[in-house]
Amino acid sequence: EFKTFALKGNVVDMAVGVIIGGAAGLEPDVRALLIRNCMLVAGLATLIQLYPVWRIGSRLPIVMGMSCTFISLAISIAQSQGMGVLMGAVIVGGIIEGVLGLFSSLWQRFIPPVVAGCVVTGIGISLLGIGANTFAGGVEASDFGAMPHWIVGTVTLLACVAVQVCPFRRLRSLSVLVGLLVGY
């Protein structure tokens, strides 16, 4: 059931659920439930973006998904405190982030671009280990590190880089999508 469901949803949302569920040591059926809940919340957030209520939502066709920003922190909480504490932290953090988002015009000027760049770089560095494991086939793969995994990962990465250096600006914004399609 887990593999059947995993073929139907957004790849990023599934990856977040699989990574956190695997790090927390959840059984495959519980991981599938976690992924389903991630997809449900992403769908509700997408509907809120399309059909806003008051100042919440953009009226734009934005497909919302799970954020990779807090994966390393979520793994740490899940391993040390358990999934219940992680879910509580996600709820409290989501409420705080939502309130901050409503008043972003008041505090946004205090965060210069160099700070935002450092945060994004820090997130990328913290995800390097996860990306390397996934590049080699995933830590649970029986053929972890096998050559076919490295070939698919390298071709996908090269496709992303090739599109990113393309002179057409609109095409550059689709580099990850093109990489996913080529890798698939």
Side-chain angles (χ1 to χ4, degrees):
E1 180 183 1
F2 177 69
K3 290 181 181 175
T4 304
F5 175 77
L7 296 175
K8 297 178 183 175
N10 180 324
V11 175
V12 173
D13 294 339
M14 289 185 301
V16 172
V18 168
I19 291 168
I20 293 173
L26 300 178
E27 297 295 321
D29 57 336
V30 179
R31 271 191 259 174
L33 182 62
L34 177 66
I35 292 170
R36 287 186 194 117
N37 288 327
C38 290
M39 300 297 273
L40 176 68
V41 170
L44 291 173
T46 300
L47 288 174
I48 290 171
Q49 288 292 347
L50 288 169
Y51 308 107
V53 178
W54 186 55
R55 292 175 51 185
I56 303 171
S58 64
R59 290 191 195 276
L60 296 172
I62 299 172
V63 178
M64 301 299 291
M66 301 298 109
S67 173
C68 296
T69 307
F70 303 106
I71 286 180
S72 55
L73 180 62
I75 289 171
S76 175
I77 292 172
Q79 288 176 338
S80 63
Q81 304 294 320
M83 286 299 289
V85 173
L86 175 60
M87 293 300 138
V90 167
I91 291 169
V92 171
I95 291 170
I96 291 171
E97 191 175 355
V99 170
L100 286 173
L102 289 174
F103 305 104
S104 65
S105 60
L106 300 175
W107 57 265
Q108 211 169 17
R109 64 179 173 263
F110 297 114
I111 301 175
V114 71
V115 172
C118 289
V119 169
V120 170
T121 302
I123 292 167
I125 290 170
S126 72
L127 292 174
L128 276 175
I130 295 168
N133 285 333
T134 305
F135 203 88
V139 288
E140 294 180 2
S142 60
D143 59 345
F144 180 79
M147 190 54 68
H149 298 302
W150 288 101
I151 291 170
V152 170
T154 303
V155 168
T156 304
L157 178 64
L158 290 176
C160 290
V161 171
V163 173
Q164 192 62 41
V165 298
C166 173
F168 304 109
R169 188 174 184 187
R170 287 185 188 228
L171 188 59
R172 281 192 306 231
S173 65
L174 299 173
S175 64
V176 174
L177 177 63
V178 171
L180 282 171
L181 292 172
V182 168
Y184 182 75

mmCIF file with all atom_site columns, all heavy atoms in Angstrom, residues 5-25:
data_model
loop_
_atom_site.group_PDB
_atom_site.id
_atom_site.type_symbol
_atom_site.label_atom_id
_atom_site.label_alt_id
_atom_site.label_comp_id
_atom_site.label_asym_id
_atom_site.label_entity_id
_atom_site.label_seq_id
_atom_site.pdbx_PDB_ins_code
_atom_site.Cartn_x
_atom_site.Cartn_y
_atom_site.Cartn_z
_atom_site.occupancy
_atom_site.B_iso_or_equiv
_atom_site.pdbx_formal_charge
_atom_site.auth_seq_id
_atom_site.auth_comp_id
_atom_site.auth_asym_id
_atom_site.auth_atom_id
_atom_site.pdbx_PDB_model_num
ATOM 1   N N   . PHE A 1 5  ? 0.685  4.132  -2.925 1.00 0.00 ? 5  PHE A N   1
ATOM 2   C CA  . PHE A 1 5  ? 0.325  5.516  -2.639 1.00 0.00 ? 5  PHE A CA  1
ATOM 3   C C   . PHE A 1 5  ? 1.429  6.466  -3.051 1.00 0.00 ? 5  PHE A C   1
ATOM 4   O O   . PHE A 1 5  ? 1.179  7.541  -3.562 1.00 0.00 ? 5  PHE A O   1
ATOM 5   C CB  . PHE A 1 5  ? 0.030  5.691  -1.137 1.00 0.00 ? 5  PHE A CB  1
ATOM 6   C CG  . PHE A 1 5  ? -0.220 7.124  -0.771 1.00 0.00 ? 5  PHE A CG  1
ATOM 7   C CD1 . PHE A 1 5  ? -1.425 7.714  -1.058 1.00 0.00 ? 5  PHE A CD1 1
ATOM 8   C CD2 . PHE A 1 5  ? 0.770  7.882  -0.195 1.00 0.00 ? 5  PHE A CD2 1
ATOM 9   C CE1 . PHE A 1 5  ? -1.650 9.038  -0.755 1.00 0.00 ? 5  PHE A CE1 1
ATOM 10  C CE2 . PHE A 1 5  ? 0.550  9.202  0.114  1.00 0.00 ? 5  PHE A CE2 1
ATOM 11  C CZ  . PHE A 1 5  ? -0.670 9.778  -0.160 1.00 0.00 ? 5  PHE A CZ  1
ATOM 12  N N   . ALA A 1 6  ? 2.681  6.068  -2.836 1.00 0.00 ? 6  ALA A N   1
ATOM 13  C CA  . ALA A 1 6  ? 3.812  6.959  -3.080 1.00 0.00 ? 6  ALA A CA  1
ATOM 14  C C   . ALA A 1 6  ? 3.923  7.358  -4.537 1.00 0.00 ? 6  ALA A C   1
ATOM 15  O O   . ALA A 1 6  ? 4.522  8.374  -4.848 1.00 0.00 ? 6  ALA A O   1
ATOM 16  C CB  . ALA A 1 6  ? 5.105  6.292  -2.624 1.00 0.00 ? 6  ALA A CB  1
ATOM 17  N N   . LEU A 1 7  ? 3.337  6.611  -5.443 1.00 0.00 ? 7  LEU A N   1
ATOM 18  C CA  . LEU A 1 7  ? 3.423  6.951  -6.853 1.00 0.00 ? 7  LEU A CA  1
ATOM 19  C C   . LEU A 1 7  ? 2.426  8.026  -7.258 1.00 0.00 ? 7  LEU A C   1
ATOM 20  O O   . LEU A 1 7  ? 2.494  8.540  -8.349 1.00 0.00 ? 7  LEU A O   1
ATOM 21  C CB  . LEU A 1 7  ? 3.186  5.699  -7.698 1.00 0.00 ? 7  LEU A CB  1
ATOM 22  C CG  . LEU A 1 7  ? 4.232  4.599  -7.521 1.00 0.00 ? 7  LEU A CG  1
ATOM 23  C CD1 . LEU A 1 7  ? 3.803  3.369  -8.311 1.00 0.00 ? 7  LEU A CD1 1
ATOM 24  C CD2 . LEU A 1 7  ? 5.589  5.068  -7.973 1.00 0.00 ? 7  LEU A CD2 1
ATOM 25  N N   . LYS A 1 8  ? 1.494  8.387  -6.366 1.00 0.00 ? 8  LYS A N   1
ATOM 26  C CA  . LYS A 1 8  ? 0.403  9.265  -6.753 1.00 0.00 ? 8  LYS A CA  1
ATOM 27  C C   . LYS A 1 8  ? 0.610  10.729 -6.380 1.00 0.00 ? 8  LYS A C   1
ATOM 28  O O   . LYS A 1 8  ? -0.090 11.578 -6.888 1.00 0.00 ? 8  LYS A O   1
ATOM 29  C CB  . LYS A 1 8  ? -0.896 8.786  -6.099 1.00 0.00 ? 8  LYS A CB  1
ATOM 30  C CG  . LYS A 1 8  ? -1.304 7.412  -6.552 1.00 0.00 ? 8  LYS A CG  1
ATOM 31  C CD  . LYS A 1 8  ? -2.546 6.987  -5.836 1.00 0.00 ? 8  LYS A CD  1
ATOM 32  C CE  . LYS A 1 8  ? -2.923 5.580  -6.219 1.00 0.00 ? 8  LYS A CE  1
ATOM 33  N NZ  . LYS A 1 8  ? -4.049 5.088  -5.453 1.00 0.00 ? 8  LYS A NZ  1
ATOM 34  N N   . GLY A 1 9  ? 1.508  11.048 -5.461 1.00 0.00 ? 9  GLY A N   1
ATOM 35  C CA  . GLY A 1 9  ? 1.541  12.397 -4.926 1.00 0.00 ? 9  GLY A CA  1
ATOM 36  C C   . GLY A 1 9  ? 2.727  13.221 -5.363 1.00 0.00 ? 9  GLY A C   1
ATOM 37  O O   . GLY A 1 9  ? 3.513  12.833 -6.209 1.00 0.00 ? 9  GLY A O   1
ATOM 38  N N   . ASN A 1 10 ? 2.828  14.378 -4.756 1.00 0.00 ? 10 ASN A N   1
ATOM 39  C CA  . ASN A 1 10 ? 3.901  15.313 -5.001 1.00 0.00 ? 10 ASN A CA  1
ATOM 40  C C   . ASN A 1 10 ? 5.207  14.724 -4.453 1.00 0.00 ? 10 ASN A C   1
ATOM 41  O O   . ASN A 1 10 ? 5.271  14.296 -3.313 1.00 0.00 ? 10 ASN A O   1
ATOM 42  C CB  . ASN A 1 10 ? 3.557  16.630 -4.302 1.00 0.00 ? 10 ASN A CB  1
ATOM 43  C CG  . ASN A 1 10 ? 4.599  17.688 -4.484 1.00 0.00 ? 10 ASN A CG  1
ATOM 44  O OD1 . ASN A 1 10 ? 5.785  17.407 -4.516 1.00 0.00 ? 10 ASN A OD1 1
ATOM 45  N ND2 . ASN A 1 10 ? 4.168  18.907 -4.598 1.00 0.00 ? 10 ASN A ND2 1
ATOM 46  N N   . VAL A 1 11 ? 6.262  14.726 -5.241 1.00 0.00 ? 11 VAL A N   1
ATOM 47  C CA  . VAL A 1 11 ? 7.521  14.084 -4.862 1.00 0.00 ? 11 VAL A CA  1
ATOM 48  C C   . VAL A 1 11 ? 8.127  14.734 -3.620 1.00 0.00 ? 11 VAL A C   1
ATOM 49  O O   . VAL A 1 11 ? 8.596  14.048 -2.723 1.00 0.00 ? 11 VAL A O   1
ATOM 50  C CB  . VAL A 1 11 ? 8.514  14.137 -6.044 1.00 0.00 ? 11 VAL A CB  1
ATOM 51  C CG1 . VAL A 1 11 ? 9.867  13.590 -5.637 1.00 0.00 ? 11 VAL A CG1 1
ATOM 52  C CG2 . VAL A 1 11 ? 7.964  13.370 -7.222 1.00 0.00 ? 11 VAL A CG2 1
ATOM 53  N N   . VAL A 1 12 ? 8.083  16.049 -3.525 1.00 0.00 ? 12 VAL A N   1
ATOM 54  C CA  . VAL A 1 12 ? 8.691  16.734 -2.383 1.00 0.00 ? 12 VAL A CA  1
ATOM 55  C C   . VAL A 1 12 ? 7.941  16.402 -1.112 1.00 0.00 ? 12 VAL A C   1
ATOM 56  O O   . VAL A 1 12 ? 8.545  16.115 -0.075 1.00 0.00 ? 12 VAL A O   1
ATOM 57  C CB  . VAL A 1 12 ? 8.745  18.259 -2.617 1.00 0.00 ? 12 VAL A CB  1
ATOM 58  C CG1 . VAL A 1 12 ? 9.214  18.984 -1.377 1.00 0.00 ? 12 VAL A CG1 1
ATOM 59  C CG2 . VAL A 1 12 ? 9.638  18.573 -3.797 1.00 0.00 ? 12 VAL A CG2 1
ATOM 60  N N   . ASP A 1 13 ? 6.601  16.419 -1.158 1.00 0.00 ? 13 ASP A N   1
ATOM 61  C CA  . ASP A 1 13 ? 5.826  16.102 0.035  1.00 0.00 ? 13 ASP A CA  1
ATOM 62  C C   . ASP A 1 13 ? 6.102  14.678 0.497  1.00 0.00 ? 13 ASP A C   1
ATOM 63  O O   . ASP A 1 13 ? 6.205  14.412 1.688  1.00 0.00 ? 13 ASP A O   1
ATOM 64  C CB  . ASP A 1 13 ? 4.331  16.268 -0.240 1.00 0.00 ? 13 ASP A CB  1
ATOM 65  C CG  . ASP A 1 13 ? 3.971  17.721 -0.508 1.00 0.00 ? 13 ASP A CG  1
ATOM 66  O OD1 . ASP A 1 13 ? 4.742  18.598 -0.097 1.00 0.00 ? 13 ASP A OD1 1
ATOM 67  O OD2 . ASP A 1 13 ? 2.927  17.965 -1.123 1.00 0.00 ? 13 ASP A OD2 1
ATOM 68  N N   . MET A 1 14 ? 6.207  13.768 -0.441 1.00 0.00 ? 14 MET A N   1
ATOM 69  C CA  . MET A 1 14 ? 6.494  12.384 -0.076 1.00 0.00 ? 14 MET A CA  1
ATOM 70  C C   . MET A 1 14 ? 7.887  12.273 0.509  1.00 0.00 ? 14 MET A C   1
ATOM 71  O O   . MET A 1 14 ? 8.102  11.557 1.477  1.00 0.00 ? 14 MET A O   1
ATOM 72  C CB  . MET A 1 14 ? 6.350  11.477 -1.288 1.00 0.00 ? 14 MET A CB  1
ATOM 73  C CG  . MET A 1 14 ? 4.922  11.297 -1.714 1.00 0.00 ? 14 MET A CG  1
ATOM 74  S SD  . MET A 1 14 ? 4.721  10.123 -3.039 1.00 0.00 ? 14 MET A SD  1
ATOM 75  C CE  . MET A 1 14 ? 5.712  10.834 -4.319 1.00 0.00 ? 14 MET A CE  1
ATOM 76  N N   . ALA A 1 15 ? 8.845  12.990 -0.058 1.00 0.00 ? 15 ALA A N   1
ATOM 77  C CA  . ALA A 1 15 ? 10.223 12.910 0.426  1.00 0.00 ? 15 ALA A CA  1
ATOM 78  C C   . ALA A 1 15 ? 10.317 13.387 1.864  1.00 0.00 ? 15 ALA A C   1
ATOM 79  O O   . ALA A 1 15 ? 10.988 12.756 2.691  1.00 0.00 ? 15 ALA A O   1
ATOM 80  C CB  . ALA A 1 15 ? 11.143 13.727 -0.469 1.00 0.00 ? 15 ALA A CB  1
ATOM 81  N N   . VAL A 1 16 ? 9.633  14.469 2.199  1.00 0.00 ? 16 VAL A N   1
ATOM 82  C CA  . VAL A 1 16 ? 9.665  14.978 3.574  1.00 0.00 ? 16 VAL A CA  1
ATOM 83  C C   . VAL A 1 16 ? 9.095  13.936 4.522  1.00 0.00 ? 16 VAL A C   1
ATOM 84  O O   . VAL A 1 16 ? 9.680  13.643 5.563  1.00 0.00 ? 16 VAL A O   1
ATOM 85  C CB  . VAL A 1 16 ? 8.897  16.318 3.677  1.00 0.00 ? 16 VAL A CB  1
ATOM 86  C CG1 . VAL A 1 16 ? 8.747  16.748 5.114  1.00 0.00 ? 16 VAL A CG1 1
ATOM 87  C CG2 . VAL A 1 16 ? 9.600  17.395 2.871  1.00 0.00 ? 16 VAL A CG2 1
ATOM 88  N N   . GLY A 1 17 ? 7.957  13.350 4.165  1.00 0.00 ? 17 GLY A N   1
ATOM 89  C CA  . GLY A 1 17 ? 7.359  12.322 5.012  1.00 0.00 ? 17 GLY A CA  1
ATOM 90  C C   . GLY A 1 17 ? 8.224  11.089 5.150  1.00 0.00 ? 17 GLY A C   1
ATOM 91  O O   . GLY A 1 17 ? 8.361  10.518 6.230  1.00 0.00 ? 17 GLY A O   1
ATOM 92  N N   . VAL A 1 18 ? 8.830  10.655 4.052  1.00 0.00 ? 18 VAL A N   1
ATOM 93  C CA  . VAL A 1 18 ? 9.688  9.464  4.074  1.00 0.00 ? 18 VAL A CA  1
ATOM 94  C C   . VAL A 1 18 ? 10.938 9.728  4.904  1.00 0.00 ? 18 VAL A C   1
ATOM 95  O O   . VAL A 1 18 ? 11.348 8.888  5.715  1.00 0.00 ? 18 VAL A O   1
ATOM 96  C CB  . VAL A 1 18 ? 10.062 9.028  2.637  1.00 0.00 ? 18 VAL A CB  1
ATOM 97  C CG1 . VAL A 1 18 ? 11.165 7.990  2.647  1.00 0.00 ? 18 VAL A CG1 1
ATOM 98  C CG2 . VAL A 1 18 ? 8.841  8.494  1.916  1.00 0.00 ? 18 VAL A CG2 1
ATOM 99  N N   . ILE A 1 19 ? 11.560 10.892 4.731  1.00 0.00 ? 19 ILE A N   1
ATOM 100 C CA  . ILE A 1 19 ? 12.792 11.212 5.461  1.00 0.00 ? 19 ILE A CA  1
ATOM 101 C C   . ILE A 1 19 ? 12.528 11.295 6.957  1.00 0.00 ? 19 ILE A C   1
ATOM 102 O O   . ILE A 1 19 ? 13.227 10.668 7.759  1.00 0.00 ? 19 ILE A O   1
ATOM 103 C CB  . ILE A 1 19 ? 13.410 12.526 4.933  1.00 0.00 ? 19 ILE A CB  1
ATOM 104 C CG1 . ILE A 1 19 ? 13.949 12.326 3.518  1.00 0.00 ? 19 ILE A CG1 1
ATOM 105 C CG2 . ILE A 1 19 ? 14.513 13.020 5.859  1.00 0.00 ? 19 ILE A CG2 1
ATOM 106 C CD1 . ILE A 1 19 ? 14.302 13.613 2.807  1.00 0.00 ? 19 ILE A CD1 1
ATOM 107 N N   . ILE A 1 20 ? 11.502 12.043 7.356  1.00 0.00 ? 20 ILE A N   1
ATOM 108 C CA  . ILE A 1 20 ? 11.218 12.203 8.786  1.00 0.00 ? 20 ILE A CA  1
ATOM 109 C C   . ILE A 1 20 ? 10.712 10.893 9.376  1.00 0.00 ? 20 ILE A C   1
ATOM 110 O O   . ILE A 1 20 ? 11.120 10.487 10.466 1.00 0.00 ? 20 ILE A O   1
ATOM 111 C CB  . ILE A 1 20 ? 10.221 13.356 9.013  1.00 0.00 ? 20 ILE A CB  1
ATOM 112 C CG1 . ILE A 1 20 ? 10.890 14.683 8.627  1.00 0.00 ? 20 ILE A CG1 1
ATOM 113 C CG2 . ILE A 1 20 ? 9.761  13.401 10.464 1.00 0.00 ? 20 ILE A CG2 1
ATOM 114 C CD1 . ILE A 1 20 ? 9.963  15.872 8.642  1.00 0.00 ? 20 ILE A CD1 1
ATOM 115 N N   . GLY A 1 21 ? 9.820  10.209 8.649  1.00 0.00 ? 21 GLY A N   1
ATOM 116 C CA  . GLY A 1 21 ? 9.306  8.935  9.142  1.00 0.00 ? 21 GLY A CA  1
ATOM 117 C C   . GLY A 1 21 ? 10.391 7.887  9.277  1.00 0.00 ? 21 GLY A C   1
ATOM 118 O O   . GLY A 1 21 ? 10.414 7.112  10.234 1.00 0.00 ? 21 GLY A O   1
ATOM 119 N N   . GLY A 1 22 ? 11.312 7.849  8.320  1.00 0.00 ? 22 GLY A N   1
ATOM 120 C CA  . GLY A 1 22 ? 12.415 6.900  8.390  1.00 0.00 ? 22 GLY A CA  1
ATOM 121 C C   . GLY A 1 22 ? 13.358 7.211  9.540  1.00 0.00 ? 22 GLY A C   1
ATOM 122 O O   . GLY A 1 22 ? 13.819 6.317  10.246 1.00 0.00 ? 22 GLY A O   1
ATOM 123 N N   . ALA A 1 23 ? 13.644 8.495  9.743  1.00 0.00 ? 23 ALA A N   1
ATOM 124 C CA  . ALA A 1 23 ? 14.546 8.886  10.832 1.00 0.00 ? 23 ALA A CA  1
ATOM 125 C C   . ALA A 1 23 ? 13.914 8.618  12.195 1.00 0.00 ? 23 ALA A C   1
ATOM 126 O O   . ALA A 1 23 ? 14.621 8.311  13.160 1.00 0.00 ? 23 ALA A O   1
ATOM 127 C CB  . ALA A 1 23 ? 14.908 10.359 10.703 1.00 0.00 ? 23 ALA A CB  1
ATOM 128 N N   . ALA A 1 24 ? 12.588 8.733  12.272 1.00 0.00 ? 24 ALA A N   1
ATOM 129 C CA  . ALA A 1 24 ? 11.899 8.477  13.535 1.00 0.00 ? 24 ALA A CA  1
ATOM 130 C C   . ALA A 1 24 ? 11.688 6.985  13.769 1.00 0.00 ? 24 ALA A C   1
ATOM 131 O O   . ALA A 1 24 ? 11.216 6.585  14.827 1.00 0.00 ? 24 ALA A O   1
ATOM 132 C CB  . ALA A 1 24 ? 10.553 9.198  13.550 1.00 0.00 ? 24 ALA A CB  1
ATOM 133 N N   . GLY A 1 25 ? 12.006 6.151  12.774 1.00 0.00 ? 25 GLY A N   1
ATOM 134 C CA  . GLY A 1 25 ? 11.859 4.710  12.918 1.00 0.00 ? 25 GLY A CA  1
ATOM 135 C C   . GLY A 1 25 ? 10.423 4.230  12.811 1.00 0.00 ? 25 GLY A C   1
ATOM 136 O O   . GLY A 1 25 ? 10.069 3.216  13.407 1.00 0.00 ? 25 GLY A O   1
#
